Amino acid sequence: MPHEAPILTVSQLTTAIKHSLESTFSLVWLQGEVSNCKVQSSGHIYFSLKDAHAQVAAVMFRGDASSLKMIPKDGDQVIVQGQLNVYPPTGKYQIVVRELRLAGLGELLLKLEELKIKLHKKGWFKAEHKKALPKFPKRIGVVTSPTGAVIQDILNILTRRATGFHLILNPVKVQGPGAAQEIAKAIQDFNTFNLVDVMIVGRGGGSIEDLWAFNEEIVAEAIFNSQIPVISAVGHETDHCIADYVADVRAPTPSAAAEIVITENAQQLHHFQQILRRLDHSMRQTLHHHRLCLKTILKQPLLASPYAILGSWMQKADEFRQELDQSTFRLLKQHRFALESREKILQTLKPTMQIFHLKEKLVNLRKAIDFSVLQKLNELRKAIQLKDEKILMDQRWKVKLEHLRELLKNKEDALKSINPRNLLTKGYTILFSEKDQSVISSVHMLKKDQKIRMLLSDGEALAQINEIYSK
């Protein structure tokens, strides 16, 4: 007869399973979504942890639940630490949670709450550390993104409500990796170089992840250590972050921060407007009184016509106007004459005119040389005819004549060598500006695509500058 397995009671089987599970899974970490969460009056919390394919019952007794920063709710993603337990009356297994923390957003909120407690203990939130804002700030610093709507909102408020201020933007990232470090450094830079009288630190609204840079301890420390008053303007009216608690003033929005900065200016402006209204009223009363007095005076016979008093003055004004017109005409005539004289001088200084005058001088010099040579030749010829017997003397005159001819030829060659036209035949060119006919002597007087006139030995040519190369 085969050996039969022992017959167990339900309690025995449940107890065996209980010992097996609890010894095997004495400590487990588990992540899942909370569902069916119930908090009993005893302080115990009962819920289920589930994922897409399974779920497990969980219980957290009052002793462990009392240490929770916040009670989990249905839908929260949590990470728990505990041990498996079998509850004999129902025969179901469950996890007895000893530690619970929120995952994802919940973890961020928990981290934020812990930092709040830490900074509160340091006293960074106390009113005694808050600095007063300057009444009339001339230099306003802004620490925010240069591309967001925040800086535009602040500028719109300041330019519409105030004048005589200087705004300095220190551009930073306001979310993502490295944003907190950039914000803290910008605040420190404003203090290091004493650039502003007050600063606005902020950004637009967003999720807690978007605003997290302003929940970092490094930013809170930079704000607390700032010697310059700081206005925190992070998010919208319902958003709060660590920077709001540490800052000297918290503004619900960036636009409100701009309003706060110029509050004293606005109050002064309102005061000035009231003074202006009173002054306007006083002026109107004064004008009304003097208008009545004037009407009384105008009834006097002497003042019946304005010409009785103003006639002589009006005539003098006409005389002064006539003298002024004549003086102005003489002055313009003198300036016109001086201008025409300078134009003539400029005409004579033009290279083309100088070349023309040099040509005339060259022709006259050639004529004078020819005349002088002919005169000398005639004199020599007469001397030779009168003194035929003096052959030796004749030879001397011939030598002298040859010398003079050679000298004349040298003079003529020298004149030809300095003639600008002769220089042009050797490949040289004179450049003139087409616009004002001035001589171009340097590449620095040229511009790309400029039109110029080129003077050559046998004519002129027009050209356009394509490239310029300077030594």
Side-chain angles (χ1 to χ4, degrees):
M1 185 174 181
H3 176 71
E4 294 182 358
I7 298 174
L8 302 176
T9 64
V10 174
S11 296
Q12 289 175 333
L13 178 61
T14 303
T15 302
I17 294 173
K18 176 180 176 68
H19 290 317
S20 177
L21 281 176
E22 290 180 356
S23 61
T24 304
F25 299 98
S26 59
L27 182 65
V28 295
W29 286 93
L30 194 64
Q31 179 172 347
E33 179 184 334
V34 176
S35 66
N36 301 318
C37 183
K38 297 178 182 178
V39 181
Q40 300 294 336
S41 59
S42 61
H44 308 321
I45 303 174
Y46 296 92
F47 57 95
S48 295
L49 283 177
K50 67 177 183 178
D51 57 20
H53 305 289
Q55 69 176 4
V56 62
V59 59
M60 191 172 192
F61 295 113
R62 182 176 62 184
D64 295 318
S66 62
S67 63
L68 290 177
K69 297 291 189 295
M70 57 177 56
I71 303 299
K73 61 183 183 298
D74 289 353
D76 285 347
Q77 285 287 334
V78 297
I79 299 173
V80 300
Q81 180 198 51
Q83 58 193 37
L84 286 186
N85 169 266
V86 177
Y87 184 54
T90 60
K92 293 181 179 180
Y93 80 93
Q94 63 186 5
I95 180 169
V96 178
V97 178
R98 306 303 302 274
E99 181 181 341
L100 181 148
R101 64 170 181 257
L102 296 171
L105 177 59
E107 192 172 7
L108 285 179
L109 293 174
L110 184 61
K111 183 179 179 182
L112 176 61
E113 192 64 27
E114 291 174 349
L115 183 59
K116 282 183 183 178
I117 295 172
K118 176 183 177 181
L119 298 186
H120 181 72
K121 290 180 179 178
K122 286 186 175 182
W124 287 10
F125 301 160
K126 291 184 178 180
E128 60 197 53
H129 296 304
K130 308 297 183 184
K131 295 177 285 297
L133 299 182
K135 291 186 177 181
F136 304 104
K138 295 296 183 183
R139 302 171 300 165
I140 302 172
V142 179
V143 178
T144 189
S145 170
T147 58
V150 171
I151 186 63
Q152 295 301 324
D153 292 342
I154 292 174
L155 280 173
N156 289 336
I157 294 295
L158 292 179
T159 53
R160 191 174 70 249
R161 300 288 302 277
T163 57
F165 68 90
H166 182 57
L167 187 140
I168 302 176
L169 170 64
N170 198 330
V172 296
K173 290 196 304 184
V174 292
Q175 68 182 67
Q181 288 73 18
E182 287 191 19
I183 295 168
K185 186 176 184 305
I187 296 171
Q188 292 166 1
D189 288 344
F190 273 139
N191 281 271
T192 301
F193 302 105
N194 193 25
L195 296 175
V196 294
D197 304 318
V198 64
M199 76 175 82
I200 299 172
V201 179
R203 57 153 290 156
S207 65
I208 187 171
E209 292 88 349
D210 295 337
L211 304 178
W212 192 254
F214 296 89
N215 288 319
E216 296 282 357
E217 185 174 358
I218 186 174
V219 174
E221 183 177 6
I223 294 175
F224 181 77
N225 292 329
S226 174
Q227 299 302 312
I228 299 170
V230 177
I231 301 174
S232 176
V234 181
H236 301 301
E237 293 187 12
T238 57
D239 297 324
H240 286 79
C241 59
I242 296 295
D244 293 333
Y245 299 115
V246 183
D248 300 297
V249 175
R250 188 252 174 185
T253 63
S255 298
E259 295 278 2
I260 292 171
V261 167
I262 58 171
T263 297
E264 191 68 25
N265 279 348
Q267 291 176 353
Q268 290 293 330
L269 181 61
H270 178 69
H271 179 64
F272 289 148
Q273 288 173 346
Q274 289 181 330
I275 294 176
L276 183 61
R277 284 194 293 271
R278 291 199 296 268
L279 181 61
D280 180 68
H281 177 72
S282 177
M283 289 294 294
R284 289 179 184 274
Q285 292 293 330
T286 303
L287 287 173
H288 178 70
H289 171 71
H290 287 295
R291 189 176 289 112
L292 292 176
C293 294
L294 183 60
K295 288 181 179 179
T296 303
I297 294 172
L298 288 176
K299 293 179 181 179
Q300 300 296 324
L302 182 62
L303 301 177
S305 172
Y307 300 110
I309 296 176
L310 301 177
S312 60
W313 294 103
M314 294 171 68
Q315 288 181 350
K316 287 184 178 180
D318 290 337
E319 292 174 358
F320 288 149
R321 185 182 296 108
Q322 185 176 3
E323 291 177 0
L324 180 62
D325 291 341
Q326 291 176 353
S327 176
T328 303
F329 178 76
R330 287 194 299 271
L331 187 62
L332 288 175
K333 188 175 181 181
Q334 292 174 0
H335 284 297
R336 187 180 295 110
F337 178 75
L339 182 61
E340 290 174 353
S341 300
R342 286 181 173 84
E343 287 181 351
K344 290 180 180 178
I345 294 173
L346 287 175
Q347 288 293 334
T348 58
L349 294 176
K350 280 187 176 181
T352 52
M353 294 300 296
Q354 292 182 350
I355 293 172
F356 177 75
H357 291 315
L358 286 173
K359 286 181 180 178
E360 287 186 342
K361 287 183 179 180
L362 184 62
V363 171
N364 292 333
L365 184 60
R366 185 181 292 111
K367 289 180 179 179
I369 292 173
D370 291 342
F371 178 76
S372 177
V373 170
L374 289 173
Q375 189 176 14
K376 288 290 185 181
L377 288 173
N378 288 331
E379 291 176 357
L380 288 173
R381 190 177 293 111
K382 290 179 181 179
I384 291 171
Q385 291 175 355
L386 293 174
K387 299 179 180 179
D388 288 336
E389 69 279 3
K390 297 181 180 178
I391 298 173
L392 183 59
M393 185 64 70
D394 184 48
Q395 292 295 328
R396 290 177 180 175
W397 276 109
K398 285 182 180 181
V399 172
K400 190 172 183 179
L401 180 60
E402 287 298 324
H403 175 70
L404 288 174
R405 284 177 179 171
E406 184 178 355
L407 186 62
L408 177 61
K409 189 175 185 308
N410 291 338
K411 296 273 187 190
E412 186 176 4
D413 292 338
L415 289 173
K416 287 180 179 180
S417 65
I418 65 173
N419 187 346
R421 287 289 183 179
N422 291 335
L423 290 175
L424 296 180
T425 60
K426 297 180 180 180
Y428 293 95
T429 303
I430 301 177
L431 304 182
F432 298 89
S433 172
E434 186 186 32
K435 185 176 181 181
D436 54 8
Q437 298 300 319
S438 61
V439 174
I440 298 172
S441 59
S442 171
V443 294
H444 299 293
M445 298 171 65
L446 294 173
K447 296 180 179 178
K448 191 173 181 181
D449 298 329
Q450 178 183 355
K451 292 184 178 181
I452 61 172
R453 187 168 59 85
M454 303 169 58
L455 181 62
L456 305 171
S457 62
D458 55 353
E460 297 181 355
L462 294 177
Q464 182 174 325
I465 301 301
N466 293 328
E467 294 291 336
I468 299 174
Y469 303 97
S470 176
K471 291 185 179 180

